[in-house]
Structures are given as structure tokens and as C-alpha cells.
Amino acid sequence: MLWHRRSSVGENNCPKTVCSFVALLKSIAHLNTRDTTLAFASRAPQKDIERVKARMGWEMPWYTLTDSFDTDFGVDEWHGTNAFIHDGDRVFRTYLINSRGDEVMGGTWSYLDMTALGRQEEWEDSSEGYPQSAPYEWWNWHDEYGDAKPSQAWIDQTERGIREFRGGPPPAG
């Protein structure tokens, strides 16, 4: 996914435009574990971008646009979020939230829900061969992805919540 802002990110820009709806997503590790990534792009020079990233504690990639990519992909004013999926060497744009519509973005779920593969959980209607797992069981601490599995206590809690939501019986014991 690519969040992009048409203008620069200088000191005099409105901080809410750059920060408010992306501040919730300090780490993109939760997106990465679902084979999703998020990058930022704007017309700002890298020195301004690095200053904002340092101030916010962000580590996600942020690129400087030097061509018409933003207008080519529907962000000709304000800001917008595009979702893309790649199939081999081919890339397809699958979704666009433009202008004020992406102000509600900011959390992991919002970003995953706008991708072609979604959250990749069992309840979703996914094409054959695409990964799916039980709801929430894939979630882990941002710095414990990789070989680490979620704790059994977290899995038990998730299963209790799903059973209660579906009106099932409580666990025996």
C-alpha cells in the first residue's frame, strides 16, 4: 500500500494532515506478517521527510516523488492511499481512498481491510491458494514475529472471544 501526500511536509504544514491518521501505526510489523507493507510518498525532499520520521518515531519507508505518479494514481490534491497487489512481475492497483476519505485510516485493521487479500482470516471469502488463519491468532507482539508463535494464553483468549461472539458454550473445566 502507498499513502501519498501531494504537497511537502515542511514545518508550516498542518501536522494533522501528515500525522493524525497514521500516528496509530507506529510499527508496520503487523502488516508485514500478512505479506502487506505500507510506504509513504510525497513531493517533500528527503531531509524534510527524515525530520518528520525522526520526530514521530516512524521507520516505514517514505519516498520523494519526482514525476507524475501521484496524479497518475488519483492523488492530485491533498492525500490518498492506494492499495496494490503484485502477481509475479505484474502490479495491479486494487483500491484507492482519496482526499478526506483516508483520514479514518491509521490502524492495522483499516489498512488490511483495503487490500485485495484482506486480513487473511478464515471468515473471509478468499480465492483458493491464498493464506488464511483463525481470526486474531496470527497477531503477535510487533517485535516477536518470525519463528515465534503467539502465546497459548493469547490463543485461548481469542478462542474464548470467538465462542462467546458466536454464542457457543464456554470451555469445559
Side-chain angles (χ1 to χ4, degrees):
M1 284 183 297
L2 180 68
W3 178 85
H4 37 124
R5 177 181 165 85
R6 177 87 171 132
S7 62
S8 65
V9 291
E11 287 294 331
N12 295 324
N13 290 139
C14 176
K16 72 180 178 207
T17 305
V18 177
C19 304
S20 64
F21 59 94
V22 291
L24 296 173
L25 193 66
K26 182 165 173 138
S27 172
I28 59 174
H30 305 301
L31 295 173
N32 294 159
T33 196
R34 302 315 269 176
D35 292 324
T36 301
T37 195
L38 174 67
F40 288 10
S42 68
R43 297 198 166 272
Q46 282 296 305
K47 69 178 179 112
D48 290 346
I49 290 170
E50 290 305 320
R51 186 183 66 251
V52 171
K53 285 175 61 175
R55 183 174 187 170
M56 296 302 294
W58 290 339
E59 297 178 6
M60 70 275 292
W62 193 335
Y63 303 98
T64 298
L65 296 173
T66 60
D67 59 13
S68 62
F69 182 88
D70 47 357
T71 55
D72 292 347
F73 284 95
V75 182
D76 52 355
E77 189 177 343
W78 299 97
H79 44 79
T81 305
N82 273 287
F84 299 90
I85 189 168
H86 69 87
D87 181 17
D89 292 337
R90 298 170 59 189
V91 176
F92 303 92
R93 181 173 78 163
T94 60
Y95 206 82
L96 166 66
I97 299 176
N98 198 359
S99 297
R100 305 297 296 258
D102 69 349
E103 289 178 341
V104 299
M105 304 297 287
T108 299
W109 306 122
S110 299
Y111 285 107
L112 287 175
D113 287 346
M114 74 173 285
T115 67
L117 297 180
R119 299 181 189 193
Q120 301 168 41
E121 294 178 342
E122 294 168 345
W123 59 271
E124 294 176 305
D125 185 20
S126 296
S127 300
E128 180 89 20
Y130 284 98
Q132 289 186 300
S133 62
Y136 304 107
E137 285 187 10
W138 59 272
W139 195 262
N140 209 347
W141 293 104
H142 77 281
D143 59 351
E144 290 187 4
Y145 285 113
D147 293 334
K149 302 289 183 205
S151 72
Q152 189 58 48
W154 172 248
I155 291 172
D156 293 346
Q157 176 69 22
T158 301
E159 289 173 354
R160 274 193 304 279
I162 291 169
R163 270 194 308 277
E164 289 177 21
F165 175 75
R166 293 181 178 157

